[in-house]
Amino acid sequence: MKRNLMIKILVVSMILAIFALSSTGMAATKIVLKLAHADATDITTSRKHAQCITFANLVNAQSGGRLEVQVFGAGQLGAEREYVEAVMAGNVQAGIASGVIGSFFKESMITDIPYLFPNATVAWKVLDGPFGAKMSEMFLAKTGMRNLAFAEVGFRHFTNSKRPIKSPADIAGLKIRVQETPVYLTLIRSMGGSPTPIAWTETYTALQTKVVDGQENPISSIVFAKLYEVQKYLTLDGHVYGVDWFVINEKFFKSLDKDLQDIIMEAAKISATVGRGLQQLLSSTGLETCLKAGVEIYQPTAAEMALFKKATQQPVIDYLKTKVDPKLIDELLKAVEDASK
């Protein structure tokens, strides 16, 4: 009996030891996906954070704990350029970025052609369709990063403290704060304005002290930064539709089991839709905020919009055709035309 008892104790001990070792092994093999962005970390005001939290919750739940997405917002892993470089190097697994993508993949600049998309639904059709798929394939081939989904920065509009902007002629002579990119410099110059690159963190003060007369941004950014406090006029011209790229290191992505890859792809699409929806909500409610603050809001007529497009689109296209394959630009214009129908 003692011998049988000893055997049972030994067997139980072995089982417990094996369980402990297997549990340790499972814990050690949990895969961590660090996801970076540089925006605020309030899901009610930040489209990127809302997108990231949606993605993380979906992946963490559907992977059964095998894959853990950790979100690092507010620039915790650096500014956009820094964490995209880290994604490319494989030190960070994924990130969401917009304008800086052009530094890694110059072809991405073509979606910044002025007055390209007549509305958001056309933009979504183009980006989620064959043309967007082609851009993502080119991006992967050139950078070693996969674009999981296109999200939305939103339509950009002009504000200023001098006068209502109803035509390109009204931009002439105004100093407009812009991002330091050739597309935006060309855009403002084509209307006779003076483009002035200023860091986003310094924009409010530059407007307040009249270093510049105006700026251009989506409504959500205008409201978040409270630019309505130092700007009198807002023109809803939607000159550029900004695009967020949801990028992931391809080597890391390919190292995952197929079912985890599928979970990531599906969650990315859903989360990008959440980001787009929040951006649309913030834009619509932001208009009311600007009105209450005393901002004069102007919606250009169709004829006036045609003047803006005529003045700006071709100069920017001419510049871009010196940097990327002209055929790609022609394909984009055709895709927009088809989606618009």
Side-chain angles (χ1 to χ4, degrees), residues 127-128 132-133 135-136 147-152 243-246 272 276:
L127 295 171
D128 296 342
M135 289 284 283
S136 293
N147 179 45
L148 294 173
F150 290 105
E152 178 171 290
V243 179
D244 273 331
W245 292 62
F246 190 168
R276 286 173 175 175

Side-chain angles (χ1 to χ4, degrees), residues 81 84-85 88 100-106 139 143 145:
R81 180 183 298 277
V84 173
E85 288 175 345
M88 181 180 286
V100 73
I101 295 295
S103 300
F104 301 87
F105 178 60
K106 59 187 178 182
F139 178 71
T143 68
M145 293 182 285

Side-chain angles (χ1 to χ4, degrees), residues 113-124 126 155 237-238 241 299 305 309 313 333 335-337 339-341:
I113 291 174
Y115 308 99
L116 173 66
F117 299 111
N119 53 59
T121 54
V122 168
W124 299 340
V126 172
F155 282 104
D237 69 305
Y241 176 83
Q299 176 67 65
M305 289 293 289
K309 183 175 181 177
Q313 190 173 92
L333 296 174
V336 171
E337 180 183 353
S340 299
K341 292 177 181 178

Side-chain angles (χ1 to χ4, degrees), residues 183-246:
V183 168
Y184 287 91
L185 296 175
T186 303
L187 168 66
I188 302 302
R189 286 172 181 155
S190 67
M191 294 183 284
S194 177
T196 309
I198 294 175
W200 173 242
T201 53
E202 301 170 10
T203 298
Y204 184 99
T205 301
L207 294 168
Q208 185 181 43
T209 57
K210 310 299 183 184
V211 171
V212 288
D213 303 307
Q215 61 85 54
E216 51 80 47
N217 258 299
I219 299 297
S220 57
S221 298
I222 293 169
V223 171
F224 180 78
K226 297 184 178 180
L227 301 186
Y228 51 77
E229 295 178 344
V230 290
Q231 296 282 268
K232 177 65 175 175
Y233 306 99
L234 166 62
T235 298
L236 301 176
D237 69 305
H239 47 274
V240 169
Y241 176 83
V243 179
D244 273 331
W245 292 62
F246 190 168

Side-chain angles (χ1 to χ4, degrees), residues 115 118 166-168 236-237 298-310:
Y115 308 99
K166 298 183 179 181
S167 71
L236 301 176
D237 69 305
Y298 183 73
Q299 176 67 65
T301 65
E304 290 166 341
M305 289 293 289
L307 291 175
F308 279 113
K309 183 175 181 177
K310 182 178 180 181

